Amino acid sequence: MSRGSPLLLPLSVAVLLLAMAAGVLWGTAEITWSERLAILLRSEDAPRGLSMIVWQWRIPRVLAVGMIGAGLTLAGLLMQTALRNPMADPYLMGVSSGASAAAVGAIIWFPASVTQTLGVPLIAFLGAAAAFLLTISLSTRRGRSLDPLVVILAGVAVSLMFQALTAFFLYVGDPHATRNAMGWLMGTAAGTDWHELPLLLVILVISLFLALRTASKLDATLLGDERAQSLGVNVGRIRVLVFFVTIALTGIAVAIAGIVGFVGLILPHMARLLVGARHRVLIPQAVILGAITLILVDLACRVLLAPEELPLGVLLALLAAPPFIYILRGMARVR
């Protein structure tokens, strides 16, 4: 199949459906094929306990990690385009560090009644938004558009500050609460339920719509600020749009699944290798590739050390190393 083949996208959708089916049908609980069929069809003969495992735990978890993978990949793709930096990813602007500090602080310091009322995901999202706004405020110069290099440096500074705050919380916190916080920091989709999906879906759909609507302008942005502006593209406005899409996608992803690294950094490059850099084609391919990857990695986390579960972030880091090295070597050859 040639690069950018029209068959690639339908094939990717088929692989995504198979990955979703695998995520729903396989796990630590032993279920026969007849029981699986009965459960999916909501038959009265389906074992009640196993039916609850599939419908209340596995299906929402698969849908959540699929949308999180798609969202983080889209955010990484947009960041790399807007900043024209192949090493940019959704966590570049301190978003994950802000979410981590807020969530860890809530888990360790807030009374259980507060965290149960507000929810750790909402607290993490607010932390991500605060870090993003701080990064933007540090990057903004009066009367000037955002400088990509300044944004990156500001993001690094904000990340370091919130990482230090998180480390302080973990050091002085109660050991039991610290253990819970560490589990969240390493990334996990365990405990995901249906009520977390609507907001995630709305944010993903709106972000995807905005990205596709500005696909041609994103193509022009890759030519450089001056050439893009000569073509009538408001580069500053495109960057602001990308930043707000990134905070929304990354904030909700971190809020639900904790820190899930490397998805937004690696998968946009893998999608470019498949279909090229034209965003009208690249965006759908990257989104589907992100969903497939995170669903399969989450499935592996559940079954490799069953009944124990591997942290999502740990396995992702292990699997991301080879393609990351390959991409770096390719960039070195180009230079």
Side-chain angles (χ1 to χ4, degrees), residues 284-305:
Q285 185 64 54
V287 165
I288 293 173
L289 184 60
I292 293 171
T293 301
L294 208 58
I295 289 172
L296 293 179
V297 172
D298 182 63
L299 175 60
C301 288
R302 285 189 279 139
V303 302
L304 284 179
L305 297 180

Side-chain angles (χ1 to χ4, degrees), residues 99 102-108 110-128 184 193 195-196 199 251-252 254-256:
V104 170
I107 292 171
I108 293 178
F110 287 7
S113 58
V114 175
T115 55
Q116 289 173 1
T117 301
L118 294 178
V120 174
L122 175 59
I123 295 171
F125 188 87
L126 294 175
W184 185 87
D193 55 35
H195 83 271
E196 294 173 325
L199 180 59
I252 191 65
V254 172
I256 293 175

Side-chain angles (χ1 to χ4, degrees), residues 9-278:
L9 189 61
L11 180 61
S12 299
V13 172
V15 174
L16 174 60
L17 294 176
L18 290 175
M20 293 175 65
V24 170
L25 297 176
W26 273 274
T28 55
E30 294 186 5
I31 307 176
T32 65
W33 281 104
S34 59
E35 288 174 334
R36 290 185 176 112
L37 183 60
I39 290 169
L40 292 177
L41 295 177
R42 291 291 187 105
S43 171
E44 294 181 356
D45 298 330
R48 187 168 183 177
L50 296 178
S51 181
M52 186 179 72
I53 289 174
V54 171
W55 282 97
Q56 299 302 319
W57 295 345
R58 288 189 187 174
I59 292 179
R61 178 169 178 163
V62 167
L63 293 175
V65 295
M67 287 190 283
I68 288 171
L72 289 176
T73 304
L74 176 60
L77 169 61
L78 295 177
M79 285 290 290
Q80 290 166 8
T81 297
L83 299 179
R84 296 197 305 279
N85 187 332
M87 293 294 104
D89 80 335
Y91 296 149
L92 180 67
M93 300 178 70
V95 174
S96 65
S97 299
S100 301
V104 170
I107 292 171
I108 293 178
W109 297 108
F110 287 7
S113 58
V114 175
T115 55
Q116 289 173 1
T117 301
L118 294 178
V120 174
L122 175 59
I123 295 171
F125 188 87
L126 294 175
F132 167 77
L133 293 175
L134 181 57
T135 300
I136 290 298
S137 66
L138 292 174
S139 309
T140 303
R141 300 178 181 180
R142 183 175 297 179
R144 298 184 181 181
S145 60
L146 289 173
D147 186 332
L149 180 59
V150 176
V151 172
I152 293 172
L153 294 175
V156 171
V158 170
S159 294
L160 291 174
M161 182 183 71
F162 279 108
Q163 286 171 13
L165 191 60
T166 302
F168 173 76
F169 288 155
L170 292 173
Y171 183 76
V172 301
D174 176 74
H176 177 70
T178 298
R179 181 177 177 84
N180 292 336
M182 285 298 296
W184 185 87
L185 284 173
M186 289 189 288
T188 178
T192 305
D193 55 35
W194 288 101
H195 83 271
E196 294 173 325
L197 300 184
L199 180 59
L200 178 58
L201 177 62
V202 169
I203 291 175
L204 178 61
V205 169
I206 292 175
S207 300
L208 186 57
F209 170 77
L210 292 173
L212 289 172
R213 187 176 180 181
T214 58
S216 59
K217 296 178 181 178
L218 291 169
D219 290 340
T221 302
L222 293 174
L223 301 174
D225 290 4
E226 293 183 1
R227 293 190 63 183
Q229 289 170 356
S230 69
L231 295 173
V233 176
N234 188 327
V235 178
R237 186 175 298 174
I238 292 295
R239 287 201 179 107
V240 170
L241 175 63
V242 166
F243 293 156
F244 277 101
V245 167
T246 298
I247 179 59
L249 290 171
T250 310
I252 191 65
V254 172
I256 293 175
I259 307 302
V260 182
F262 294 100
V263 175
L265 176 61
I266 301 296
L267 295 180
H269 292 293
M270 304 301 290
R272 289 188 188 95
L273 292 175
L274 292 173
V275 298
R278 194 164 66 92

